[in-house]
Amino acid sequence: MKTKSPLSAYILCGGKSSRMGTDKGFVRFRDRSFTDWCLEAARQITKDIHLVTANKKYAQFGYPLVEDIHKNKGPVGGIYTALENSATGWNLILSCDIPGITGSLLNHLFERTPEQTSIAFLSSGSNDYPLVAIYHKNCSKYFSEAIQENDLRLMNVIGKLNYERIEIPFSESHNLNNINTPEELEILKKTRYERYS
């Protein structure tokens, strides 16, 4: 457990959102934007929160905006930007399209991340969630190399590092679903949705 270690949080708000047809961070679920849900969860484990995006509209949330160092490099580029910007060793990386994420799940991740690892991410056992994860700043050079080689598959980079899967009960795994399309959003709205916070 490293509950006393400083932690920053970076919410990845970039991406073209081509399948959703609009910027996913502003999509609304239960009268709040996806970004609002992510911020609520992140605030339960740190006050040092940043939004990785070039879209100035995100300034409305009241947190610093960090523009990608390398454009159009997906999550690998977003994580690299976060780690280069960060002043802390440990960094929560969270995709903005996970409206079900909760503080309790993030605390579960944070408290169980071993000091000696480089990356820890939540897993249901059958699915891994590398964008609900804690990355150490020392990973930055590996992400830089991946960008230079244009190998933008996130799990390829993670596979080169010391990582830990932090399992959660399968019954809670629906809280980690990312919502990519209007159809998925409609299904979410029609489903009884229990948040664990």
Side-chain angles (χ1 to χ4, degrees), residues 102-189:
T102 64
S104 62
L105 284 171
L106 295 183
N107 268 304
H108 179 85
L109 169 67
F110 183 50
E111 292 174 358
R112 288 162 178 77
T113 297
E115 284 280 4
Q116 67 274 18
T117 196
S118 295
I119 302 169
F121 52 83
L122 291 183
S123 175
S124 66
S126 57
N127 290 304
D128 294 332
Y129 299 89
L131 293 179
V132 186
I134 291 176
Y135 291 75
H136 197 276
K137 190 173 174 66
N138 64 18
C139 299
S140 178
K141 64 179 180 180
Y142 294 91
F143 283 87
S144 177
E145 290 169 0
I147 290 168
Q148 297 306 316
E149 296 168 2
N150 207 37
D151 182 2
L152 303 180
R153 290 168 290 187
L154 179 53
M155 290 305 295
N156 280 4
V157 185
I158 290 173
K160 298 175 182 178
L161 291 150
N162 179 23
Y163 65 87
E164 293 282 339
R165 288 181 172 89
I166 308 298
E167 292 206 15
I168 63 170
F170 183 79
S171 61
E172 296 187 34
S173 63
H174 65 282
N175 283 324
L176 302 179
N177 289 341
N178 60 321
I179 307 301
N180 291 309
T181 67
E183 292 76 18
E184 291 175 354
L185 179 60
E186 287 307 308
I187 292 171
L188 179 67
K189 289 178 178 178

Side-chain angles (χ1 to χ4, degrees), residues 11-14 17 19-43 49 51 58 60-61 94-102 106 174-189 193 195:
I11 299 175
L12 306 186
C13 304
S17 302
R19 287 187 287 171
M20 183 63 75
T22 188
D23 194 320
K24 286 190 286 186
F26 295 107
V27 172
R28 300 189 74 77
F29 171 63
R30 291 190 172 177
D31 297 323
R32 300 175 68 185
S33 71
F34 283 8
T35 302
D36 280 320
W37 289 116
C38 292
L39 287 169
E40 178 186 279
R43 281 193 295 264
I49 301 173
L51 305 179
Y58 279 93
Q60 67 186 266
F61 295 103
L94 184 61
S95 175
C96 75
D97 58 1
I98 309 174
I101 192 62
T102 64
L106 295 183
H174 65 282
N175 283 324
L176 302 179
N177 289 341
N178 60 321
I179 307 301
N180 291 309
T181 67
E183 292 76 18
E184 291 175 354
L185 179 60
E186 287 307 308
I187 292 171
L188 179 67
K189 289 178 178 178
Y193 199 79
R195 288 174 60 84

Side-chain angles (χ1 to χ4, degrees), residues 7-9 42-50 63-64:
L7 178 78
S8 300
R43 281 193 295 264
Q44 294 187 43
I45 63 170
T46 182
K47 295 180 180 178
D48 184 13
I49 301 173
H50 305 74
Y63 291 92

